[in-house]
Amino acid sequence: MVPLRSCGSMSVLETFETRRICTSCAEELPKEQFSGSQWRKESSRCKNCIRTTKNPPKITDSRLLDFVEECQRAKEQYKQSQTHVVSEITPWLCLGGALQDGAWQLEKTTHGICAALERNVSPVMKKLEHLLILNLEDKGSEAECLTAFKIAVAFAQKALEEPECKIYVFCALGCNRSAIIVMALLMAVEGLTLDVALKLVREKRPAIRPKYMRVLADFEIELGRECSRPEFLEAPDSKSIGALF
């Protein structure tokens, strides 16, 4: 966050600031995602969160309500506390945020998948010899996510041909974009159902609050299986359901 400076009797943010974290969805977003009045506040809410609060999606399916409540609890309990924590999901697959230092020994990692934008790749992460950058927007299109699943799966399958392969999947916070990529890998590579993959990732990294579950449900069908969490097929669009947590 850019430091505040005084302008008469009012504090304003430096004019060169172009991005900010929404206090509602906890995502770092560009200036155009905020209204002018919200942008001038120190604590700002993006347009999508405000719009969804005024007109939230109506969820009646008890299974979807349980999922939303799980994500709400994760946000309240962990906030961004696990951003710099690396969670081992399987012996070959780890999940986390965009690490800024070498506290975690990267020599243990043979490959990396950045599920966020290229600017989220810190200098320490650029040291990885094999790095795939998916360039997913946090509130991007569902079609882009489905394409990213296929690219990530192909990358992981090739990586796993090497002995002692270990892949680190990360985004900005390690709770949404990277989580869905990890679940897609578990489904395609390990053969897990979406239901089992979600439970495993939540167990290993309780801070997750993935928005793109509808895309993962479609991906499970595309893998030639019956969807194990059919409620996600009928869920509101990812942006709407994500704004609830």
Side-chain angles (χ1 to χ4, degrees):
M1 179 68 72
V2 177
L4 291 172
R5 62 180 174 84
S6 176
C7 182
S9 60
M10 181 176 66
S11 289
V12 296
L13 292 164
E14 294 287 0
T15 56
F16 55 78
E17 185 188 13
T18 59
R19 303 185 69 87
R20 187 176 301 171
I21 295 177
C22 170
T23 57
S24 182
C25 64
E27 304 300 343
E28 185 182 14
L29 302 168
K31 184 176 182 178
E32 56 266 25
Q33 294 294 325
F34 298 86
S35 66
S37 59
Q38 285 292 318
W39 185 257
R40 288 190 290 272
K41 295 179 180 180
E42 183 176 356
S43 298
S44 312
R45 297 172 66 211
C46 70
K47 294 176 183 177
N48 188 65
C49 287
I50 292 175
R51 182 170 56 250
T52 305
T53 299
K54 293 179 178 178
N55 187 27
K58 295 180 180 179
I59 298 177
T60 57
D61 190 310
S62 60
R63 296 167 297 180
L64 274 180
L65 288 171
D66 288 343
F67 171 76
V68 169
E69 290 174 358
E70 286 176 343
C71 292
Q72 289 172 338
R73 286 194 295 270
K75 180 179 180 180
E76 177 63 28
Q77 181 175 354
Y78 294 97
K79 296 182 172 64
Q80 298 183 29
S81 63
Q82 288 200 319
T83 301
H84 305 296
V85 175
V86 175
S87 304
E88 184 175 271
I89 310 301
T90 71
W92 63 270
L93 186 59
C94 293
L95 167 61
L99 304 178
Q100 299 297 324
D101 56 47
W104 187 58
Q105 298 178 5
L106 287 177
E107 60 264 25
K108 295 180 180 179
T109 303
T110 59
H111 297 72
I113 299 177
C114 173
L117 302 176
E118 187 169 2
R119 62 179 175 77
N120 290 117
V121 183
S122 62
V124 69
M125 301 309 299
K126 289 179 180 177
K127 294 179 181 179
L128 289 172
E129 182 177 356
H130 305 287
L131 178 63
L132 171 66
I133 303 175
L134 295 172
N135 275 312
L136 287 175
E137 290 276 3
D138 186 73
K139 296 184 179 179
S141 74
E142 295 183 344
E144 289 175 347
C145 287
L146 190 57
T147 299
F149 292 165
K150 298 173 183 178
I151 295 172
V153 168
F155 178 83
Q157 289 173 332
K158 180 67 175 178
L160 285 166
E161 295 176 0
E162 301 181 13
E164 299 183 358
C165 168
K166 201 173 192 72
I167 302 173
Y168 181 50
V169 184
F170 64 96
C171 58
L173 304 180
C175 66
N176 176 31
R177 288 167 288 183
S178 54
I180 62 171
I181 294 298
V182 165
M183 282 187 270
L185 294 178
L186 292 172
M187 292 161 63
V189 178
E190 295 282 357
L192 301 186
T193 65
L194 172 56
D195 181 49
V196 173
L198 174 60
K199 290 176 179 175
L200 174 61
V201 176
R202 191 179 294 284
E203 175 190 348
K204 299 291 187 177
R205 190 173 181 83
I208 67 165
R209 42 186 191 272
K211 302 171 185 175
Y212 294 89
M213 298 306 297
R214 187 166 74 172
V215 190
L216 282 167
D218 288 335
F219 185 59
E220 187 165 28
I221 292 175
E222 195 162 315
L223 289 171
R225 308 169 195 162
E226 182 178 354
C227 184
S228 58
R229 295 293 294 267
E231 69 271 23
F232 290 129
L233 293 171
E234 305 300 327
D237 68 271
S238 302
K239 293 180 182 179
S240 296
I241 196 169
L244 295 177
F245 48 79

PDB file of all heavy atoms in Angstrom, residues 150-163:
ATOM      1  N   LYS A 150      -5.880 -27.264 -18.762  1.00  0.00           N
ATOM      2  CA  LYS A 150      -5.292 -28.165 -19.761  1.00  0.00           C
ATOM      3  C   LYS A 150      -3.803 -27.893 -19.947  1.00  0.00           C
ATOM      4  O   LYS A 150      -3.002 -28.828 -20.070  1.00  0.00           O
ATOM      5  CB  LYS A 150      -6.043 -28.017 -21.081  1.00  0.00           C
ATOM      6  CG  LYS A 150      -7.524 -28.405 -20.980  1.00  0.00           C
ATOM      7  CD  LYS A 150      -8.279 -28.088 -22.253  1.00  0.00           C
ATOM      8  CE  LYS A 150      -9.759 -28.408 -22.105  1.00  0.00           C
ATOM      9  NZ  LYS A 150     -10.545 -28.063 -23.322  1.00  0.00           N
ATOM     10  N   ILE A 151      -3.430 -26.619 -19.948  1.00  0.00           N
ATOM     11  CA  ILE A 151      -2.014 -26.265 -20.093  1.00  0.00           C
ATOM     12  C   ILE A 151      -1.223 -26.749 -18.883  1.00  0.00           C
ATOM     13  O   ILE A 151      -0.126 -27.311 -19.015  1.00  0.00           O
ATOM     14  CB  ILE A 151      -1.865 -24.744 -20.269  1.00  0.00           C
ATOM     15  CG1 ILE A 151      -2.504 -24.287 -21.577  1.00  0.00           C
ATOM     16  CG2 ILE A 151      -0.396 -24.330 -20.216  1.00  0.00           C
ATOM     17  CD1 ILE A 151      -2.572 -22.782 -21.750  1.00  0.00           C
ATOM     18  N   ALA A 152      -1.782 -26.539 -17.688  1.00  0.00           N
ATOM     19  CA  ALA A 152      -1.098 -26.947 -16.454  1.00  0.00           C
ATOM     20  C   ALA A 152      -0.957 -28.466 -16.370  1.00  0.00           C
ATOM     21  O   ALA A 152       0.082 -28.984 -15.934  1.00  0.00           O
ATOM     22  CB  ALA A 152      -1.856 -26.417 -15.243  1.00  0.00           C
ATOM     23  N   VAL A 153      -1.982 -29.185 -16.777  1.00  0.00           N
ATOM     24  CA  VAL A 153      -1.930 -30.651 -16.748  1.00  0.00           C
ATOM     25  C   VAL A 153      -0.844 -31.170 -17.683  1.00  0.00           C
ATOM     26  O   VAL A 153      -0.055 -32.054 -17.313  1.00  0.00           O
ATOM     27  CB  VAL A 153      -3.306 -31.251 -17.121  1.00  0.00           C
ATOM     28  CG1 VAL A 153      -3.181 -32.756 -17.389  1.00  0.00           C
ATOM     29  CG2 VAL A 153      -4.311 -30.997 -16.003  1.00  0.00           C
ATOM     30  N   ALA A 154      -0.767 -30.620 -18.889  1.00  0.00           N
ATOM     31  CA  ALA A 154       0.266 -31.046 -19.841  1.00  0.00           C
ATOM     32  C   ALA A 154       1.661 -30.762 -19.287  1.00  0.00           C
ATOM     33  O   ALA A 154       2.581 -31.581 -19.405  1.00  0.00           O
ATOM     34  CB  ALA A 154       0.065 -30.333 -21.177  1.00  0.00           C
ATOM     35  N   PHE A 155       1.822 -29.588 -18.661  1.00  0.00           N
ATOM     36  CA  PHE A 155       3.103 -29.204 -18.061  1.00  0.00           C
ATOM     37  C   PHE A 155       3.474 -30.175 -16.939  1.00  0.00           C
ATOM     38  O   PHE A 155       4.626 -30.637 -16.853  1.00  0.00           O
ATOM     39  CB  PHE A 155       2.993 -27.783 -17.524  1.00  0.00           C
ATOM     40  CG  PHE A 155       4.228 -27.256 -16.832  1.00  0.00           C
ATOM     41  CD1 PHE A 155       5.272 -26.707 -17.557  1.00  0.00           C
ATOM     42  CD2 PHE A 155       4.326 -27.298 -15.441  1.00  0.00           C
ATOM     43  CE1 PHE A 155       6.401 -26.207 -16.921  1.00  0.00           C
ATOM     44  CE2 PHE A 155       5.456 -26.810 -14.793  1.00  0.00           C
ATOM     45  CZ  PHE A 155       6.498 -26.264 -15.528  1.00  0.00           C
ATOM     46  N   ALA A 156       2.519 -30.502 -16.078  1.00  0.00           N
ATOM     47  CA  ALA A 156       2.781 -31.387 -14.937  1.00  0.00           C
ATOM     48  C   ALA A 156       3.092 -32.806 -15.393  1.00  0.00           C
ATOM     49  O   ALA A 156       3.998 -33.463 -14.845  1.00  0.00           O
ATOM     50  CB  ALA A 156       1.576 -31.388 -13.998  1.00  0.00           C
ATOM     51  N   GLN A 157       2.367 -33.297 -16.377  1.00  0.00           N
ATOM     52  CA  GLN A 157       2.618 -34.652 -16.869  1.00  0.00           C
ATOM     53  C   GLN A 157       4.021 -34.770 -17.444  1.00  0.00           C
ATOM     54  O   GLN A 157       4.698 -35.787 -17.236  1.00  0.00           O
ATOM     55  CB  GLN A 157       1.568 -35.028 -17.911  1.00  0.00           C
ATOM     56  CG  GLN A 157       0.182 -35.260 -17.311  1.00  0.00           C
ATOM     57  CD  GLN A 157      -0.896 -35.466 -18.355  1.00  0.00           C
ATOM     58  OE1 GLN A 157      -0.798 -34.962 -19.473  1.00  0.00           O
ATOM     59  NE2 GLN A 157      -1.939 -36.202 -18.004  1.00  0.00           N
ATOM     60  N   LYS A 158       4.463 -33.733 -18.139  1.00  0.00           N
ATOM     61  CA  LYS A 158       5.828 -33.737 -18.670  1.00  0.00           C
ATOM     62  C   LYS A 158       6.842 -33.659 -17.536  1.00  0.00           C
ATOM     63  O   LYS A 158       7.862 -34.360 -17.550  1.00  0.00           O
ATOM     64  CB  LYS A 158       6.002 -32.542 -19.619  1.00  0.00           C
ATOM     65  CG  LYS A 158       7.389 -32.417 -20.239  1.00  0.00           C
ATOM     66  CD  LYS A 158       7.668 -33.552 -21.190  1.00  0.00           C
ATOM     67  CE  LYS A 158       9.001 -33.359 -21.891  1.00  0.00           C
ATOM     68  NZ  LYS A 158       9.335 -34.494 -22.809  1.00  0.00           N
ATOM     69  N   ALA A 159       6.562 -32.817 -16.540  1.00  0.00           N
ATOM     70  CA  ALA A 159       7.474 -32.658 -15.406  1.00  0.00           C
ATOM     71  C   ALA A 159       7.622 -33.963 -14.625  1.00  0.00           C
ATOM     72  O   ALA A 159       8.714 -34.300 -14.147  1.00  0.00           O
ATOM     73  CB  ALA A 159       6.967 -31.547 -14.487  1.00  0.00           C
ATOM     74  N   LEU A 160       6.541 -34.698 -14.495  1.00  0.00           N
ATOM     75  CA  LEU A 160       6.551 -35.931 -13.700  1.00  0.00           C
ATOM     76  C   LEU A 160       7.334 -37.057 -14.360  1.00  0.00           C
ATOM     77  O   LEU A 160       7.550 -38.103 -13.742  1.00  0.00           O
ATOM     78  CB  LEU A 160       5.119 -36.377 -13.419  1.00  0.00           C
ATOM     79  CG  LEU A 160       4.394 -35.535 -12.358  1.00  0.00           C
ATOM     80  CD1 LEU A 160       2.894 -35.811 -12.369  1.00  0.00           C
ATOM     81  CD2 LEU A 160       4.973 -35.790 -10.970  1.00  0.00           C
ATOM     82  N   GLU A 161       7.771 -36.840 -15.584  1.00  0.00           N
ATOM     83  CA  GLU A 161       8.647 -37.822 -16.227  1.00  0.00           C
ATOM     84  C   GLU A 161      10.037 -37.772 -15.619  1.00  0.00           C
ATOM     85  O   GLU A 161      10.813 -38.729 -15.776  1.00  0.00           O
ATOM     86  CB  GLU A 161       8.719 -37.556 -17.734  1.00  0.00           C
ATOM     87  CG  GLU A 161       7.390 -37.762 -18.462  1.00  0.00           C
ATOM     88  CD  GLU A 161       7.475 -37.388 -19.936  1.00  0.00           C
ATOM     89  OE1 GLU A 161       8.583 -36.968 -20.371  1.00  0.00           O
ATOM     90  OE2 GLU A 161       6.468 -37.509 -20.645  1.00  0.00           O
ATOM     91  N   GLU A 162      10.348 -36.667 -14.941  1.00  0.00           N
ATOM     92  CA  GLU A 162      11.657 -36.522 -14.308  1.00  0.00           C
ATOM     93  C   GLU A 162      11.635 -37.116 -12.905  1.00  0.00           C
ATOM     94  O   GLU A 162      10.627 -37.019 -12.197  1.00  0.00           O
ATOM     95  CB  GLU A 162      12.043 -35.041 -14.239  1.00  0.00           C
ATOM     96  CG  GLU A 162      12.113 -34.359 -15.590  1.00  0.00           C
ATOM     97  CD  GLU A 162      12.532 -32.904 -15.484  1.00  0.00           C
ATOM     98  OE1 GLU A 162      13.011 -32.499 -14.391  1.00  0.00           O
ATOM     99  OE2 GLU A 162      12.392 -32.168 -16.478  1.00  0.00           O
ATOM    100  N   PRO A 163      12.740 -37.716 -12.476  1.00  0.00           N
ATOM    101  CA  PRO A 163      12.787 -38.290 -11.127  1.00  0.00           C
ATOM    102  C   PRO A 163      12.732 -37.200 -10.054  1.00  0.00           C
ATOM    103  O   PRO A 163      13.246 -36.100 -10.237  1.00  0.00           O
ATOM    104  CB  PRO A 163      14.137 -39.024 -11.102  1.00  0.00           C
ATOM    105  CG  PRO A 163      14.956 -38.342 -12.162  1.00  0.00           C
ATOM    106  CD  PRO A 163      13.987 -37.917 -13.220  1.00  0.00           C
TER     107      PRO A 163
END
